[in-house]
Amino acid sequence: MTAKSDTGVGLAPENPGELLEQFVTSKRDGNLWTSIETSREAERIAEVPEAQLQVAMNLIPAHTWYAAPSGGLTFVNERCADYFGLPKDHPLRFGAGTCAAWESQIPVLHPDDQEETRRVWSECLSARRYCEVSFRVRDAHGNYRWCLSRMEPLRGSDGTLLHWVGINLDIEERQQGLAKALRKTEERLQQENVALREEVDKTSMFEEIVGAAPALTAMLSRVSKVAGSDSTVLVVGETGTGKELVARAIHRRSRRASKAFVAVNCAAIPRDLIASEFFGHEKGAFTGAIQRRLGRFELAHGGTIFLDEVGELSADTQVALLRVLQEHEFERVGGRERIQVDVRIIAATNRDLTAAVADGTFRQDLFYRLNVFPLEMPGETFPYWWSTSSIATRVKRVRPSGGSASGRSTTCSPIDGLGTCVSCRTSSSGR
């Protein structure tokens, strides 16, 4: 019987007190006896019209349904019927379904989920046991949403299967969250893979910077001081003086050493492509952009990016770079999403940026942002590691004391200014 109350519509017996009395049980000689009245009441309850079950299912804020023992649907609640766009007079809304074969429900599922769902449902119906399965189901507008479907048998007192009762829980948001997390993991793996490809066979600490010249020692001391911080570094020096080696040394001694080190030669990238190279692009952003591409800043997230020849950047790119330094965010070419990035910037140039600022070819505010900790590479005519003292150090590392295959001692005497051993007249290259 349907009873109305102040709290809504619910199911209630006509005489609650009488029903409670009829269900009273007594314990006699260690056995549990049920009164004849209780048995009769149980039989009466079993004959309760299905309409009451349908009312209860319509109150559940989820898609609920029940099916015949064969698995064919006989009833779906209002939420489920509305989702599929069933007419208001459709038989399934009133428990008057035609009990079509359960396989007829498969086509409303996403094609990628049909095979697995068919397998699970088939095993469930054969074993007549509880089961659950996740799939995407199509609504009346052709859109798919993820749901978790649970189905279990409703049996009579003698164990006979009366109905299959089921509920479909909407898990679209949960699946989207999992998919987003998976995409982030895949992108992170891609970033690390790209960085590892660029770093393969490259080791960088001070092992690659060999020498004992006073100017070199002083510079390496400054490198050690700045490496532990996140300060932006501007390395200034002539081409070939090892600016990238210094940048790698700073990265290796920083707390970002376990993350990517991404090097970009700003002078080697065409000006119309440098924005895409720095910040990536979305699919269809321009001709040839057939898929999303991550930029160098995104690849360096959590690590260090080295911008070589930064003085060659165009005015537009300087503005975009300044925004990354100030706001720590950017947008891909053709995209609207603001991407947060945590990256340390080490820039390098062989140009006089002070003069470039004066003549208007380089932004003053960007220069001050980059020039937080300046490092000037020593050496004018020759790279700093080819100083006399540095050559001696390199020879000691390459040719340690001991005999050679020819029986001649390889312990070299002092090196002259041309890098040649004075005693054996053997060049530092070994020739």
Side-chain angles (χ1 to χ4, degrees), residues 239 244 262-270 274 277-278 296 305-310 312-313 348:
T239 301
E244 183 172 344
V262 178
V264 185
N265 189 337
C266 302
I269 304 173
I274 197 162
E277 190 71 20
F278 272 12
R296 295 304 183 97
I305 187 167
F306 174 59
L307 304 179
D308 198 9
E309 304 301 341
V310 72
E312 306 301 322
L313 292 177

Side-chain angles (χ1 to χ4, degrees), residues 64-100:
T64 56
W65 46 270
Y66 61 82
S70 62
L73 278 177
T74 55
F75 171 78
V76 296
N77 73 345
E78 292 178 359
R79 285 179 175 79
C80 188
D82 292 342
Y83 181 84
F84 289 111
L86 300 183
K88 294 299 183 180
D89 58 349
H90 195 281
L92 283 177
R93 288 181 179 268
F94 306 101
T98 57
C99 294

